[in-house]
């Protein structure tokens, strides 16, 4: 491919020119000019970074039972400027922090609440590895899984201001520990999510029922197998970044399920329409009260909790950080009323990073992308959180 190995591509072109000349299909002069001025690729802005996105489109074509065995015109949802920004910012931050923090890879997925996917970056360098870590890699989400635990709790009848004890907790010989090894004592569920307190998440999941937590995650869009073991609330069942971003999108999409899509239409060269995307009717996956309370709780993550690096003041942001066991994976999944973006960083060989947490490198990549995505966009509210970042003061009936 001339965009990744130009020298060999030009050598091949010279061989073809020679054969054409030998066969009498081009003149001596044509051959001399062609060899004297070899062709070089001219890429439009954004195209050079769209390979991961293009691979995903091809995969989706197959799922639509459309075989690319003839010329097709495929209109997609990609925003090439944002795709370029995503790749450049991801690479820049990895170049800056990667060596010191022992992190070599990252992935990013961004979509709008409608489900239109605008950017997919499956790794640091497509020319070095075409493996798409955004949707092909299953990794432990760590604490970024906790919103499903707390949504299940709200549906169970708890409120963000209910108090549970952050103290040593044991379940049949297994005890979860907090990130820093300390305990805060009695705290609200709101504070427990903002500060990513493990003991409270496990207590709440045991209280509500881990199968109910799994049901919530699946309802919002998690399709990978989830095991109802004691560590489930801490994000030990592996999922993809694409799934997590889709699931969080429901909070931005007024509580409705989001079905991501990348293909708008497929036509043959003569204009025959083979496929056209049509939006499905909205399917609610949570009630209005739970939606507003979850948005308030995840807004608090960015205001006072583990996600403060990603603040987009005055634009309201809901988010959750995640760090898996032994620093192998770090996640930041967050959203505004206009965009939902998920970021994962780690190493392909599953080795530990140098204490990279979700609120550090992933949050930096996330913020850089979201600043580009929201450039010149007006500030919009999240349900339950106003444009200045305060919780809605409307009392519930």
């Amino acid at each position: 491919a001339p965009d990744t190995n130009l020298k060999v591509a030009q050598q091949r072109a010279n061989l073809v020119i020679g054969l054409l000349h030998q066969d009498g299909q081009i003149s001596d002069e044509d051959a001399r000019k062609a060899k004297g001025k070899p062709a070089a690729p001219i890429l439009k802005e954004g195209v050079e970074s769209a390979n991961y996105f293009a691979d995903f489109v091809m995969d989706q074509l197959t799922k639509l039972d459309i075989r690319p065995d003839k010329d097709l015109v495929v209109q997609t949802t990609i925003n090439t400027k944002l795709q370029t920004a995503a790749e450049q910012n991801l690479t820049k931050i990895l170049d800056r922090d990667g060596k010191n923090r022992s992190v070599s890879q990252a992935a990013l997925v961004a979509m709008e609440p409608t489900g239109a996917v605008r950017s997919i970056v499956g790794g640091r360098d497509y020319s070095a590895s075409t493996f798409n870590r955004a949707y092909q890699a299953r990794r432990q989400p760590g604490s970024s899984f906790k919103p499903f635990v707390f949504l299940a709790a709200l549906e169970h009848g708890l409120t963000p201001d209910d108090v549970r004890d952050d103290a040593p907790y044991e379940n049949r010989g297994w005890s979860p520990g907090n990130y820093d090894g300390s305990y805060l004592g009695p705290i609200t569920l709101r504070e427990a999510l903002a500060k990513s307190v493990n003991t409270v998440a496990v207590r709440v999941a045991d209280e509500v029922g881990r199968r109910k937590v799994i049901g919530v995650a699946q309802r919002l869009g998690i399709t990978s197998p989830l095991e109802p073991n004691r560590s489930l609330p801490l994000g030990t069942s592996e999922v993809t970044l694409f799934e997590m971003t889709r699931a969080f999108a429901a909070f931005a999409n007024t509580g409705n399920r989001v079905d991501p899509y990348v293909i708008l239409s497929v036509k043959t060269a003569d204009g025959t329409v083979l496929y056209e995307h049509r939006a499905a009717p909205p399917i609610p996956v949570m009630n209005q009260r739970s939606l507003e309370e979850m948005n308030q709780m995840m807004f608090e993550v960015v205001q006072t909790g583990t996600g403060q690096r990603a603040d987009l003041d005055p634009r309201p942001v809901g988010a959750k950080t995640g760090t898996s066991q032994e620093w192998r994976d770090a996640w930041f999944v967050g959203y505004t009323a206009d965009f939902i973006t998920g970021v994962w960083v780690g190493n392909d060989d599953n080795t530990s990073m140098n204490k990279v947490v979700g609120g550090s490198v992933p949050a930096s990549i996330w913020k850089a992308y979201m600043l580009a995505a929201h450039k010149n966009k007006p500030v919009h509210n999240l349900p339950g959180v106003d444009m200045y970042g305060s919780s809605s003061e409307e009392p519930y009936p």
Side-chain angles (χ1 to χ4, degrees), residues 22-142:
Q22 184 181 324
D23 200 40
Q25 297 191 50
I26 59 175
S27 68
D28 293 347
E29 181 65 11
D30 288 337
R32 186 185 64 77
K33 284 183 177 179
K35 288 184 177 182
K37 193 176 181 181
I42 299 174
L43 299 175
K44 295 180 182 178
E45 181 185 4
V47 174
E48 66 272 20
S49 64
N51 293 304
Y52 284 116
F53 196 99
D55 286 351
F56 188 76
V57 170
M58 294 297 288
D59 182 62
Q60 298 306 301
L61 277 176
T62 303
K63 290 182 179 179
L64 292 173
D65 202 26
I66 297 174
R67 301 184 182 277
D69 53 3
K70 55 189 171 185
D71 286 347
L72 299 174
V73 179
V74 182
Q75 184 183 6
T76 77
T77 59
I78 189 173
N79 182 315
T80 54
K81 287 187 177 180
L82 291 183
Q83 179 74 16
T84 300
E87 185 162 278
Q88 289 178 346
N89 287 321
L90 183 150
T91 303
K92 178 182 176 182
I93 292 170
L94 284 183
D95 286 346
R96 184 190 70 195
D97 299 334
K99 187 175 181 181
N100 290 336
R101 306 304 296 273
S102 300
V103 53
S104 59
Q105 279 295 354
L108 178 147
V109 176
M111 63 185 71
E112 294 180 0
T114 59
V117 179
R118 299 306 184 192
S119 302
I120 298 176
V121 182
R124 182 177 192 155
D125 184 353
Y126 183 87
S127 64
S129 169
T130 61
F131 180 68
N132 196 322
R133 295 153 190 84
Y135 76 98
Q136 290 178 308
R138 286 192 170 96
R139 308 286 294 222
Q140 289 186 345

Side-chain angles (χ1 to χ4, degrees), residues 147 248 251-252 294-303 307 310-312 315-321 332-337 339-341 366 370 382 385:
F248 272 60
F251 299 114
M294 284 302 302
N295 279 337
Q296 292 164 17
M297 291 171 74
M298 286 198 277
F299 171 77
E300 202 62 37
V301 171
V302 177
Q303 294 304 299
D311 187 22
L312 298 178
R315 194 181 302 275
V317 170
K320 187 67 191 78
T321 58
F332 194 93
V333 188
Y335 57 93
T336 65
F339 262 91
I340 308 94
T341 299
W366 184 93
M370 291 294 262
L382 286 169
V385 182

Side-chain angles (χ1 to χ4, degrees), residues 264-323:
L264 294 170
S265 66
V266 183
K267 300 177 182 177
T268 61
D270 64 5
T272 303
V273 177
L274 301 180
Y275 170 81
E276 213 163 37
H277 173 77
R278 287 185 173 83
I283 301 175
V285 289
M286 66 190 85
N287 62 46
Q288 186 67 21
R289 178 167 184 161
S290 296
L291 167 67
E292 294 187 7
E293 289 178 339
M294 284 302 302
N295 279 337
Q296 292 164 17
M297 291 171 74
M298 286 198 277
F299 171 77
E300 202 62 37
V301 171
V302 177
Q303 294 304 299
T304 64
T306 58
Q308 294 181 53
R309 184 176 293 194
D311 187 22
L312 298 178
D313 182 59
R315 194 181 302 275
V317 170
K320 187 67 191 78
T321 58
T323 310

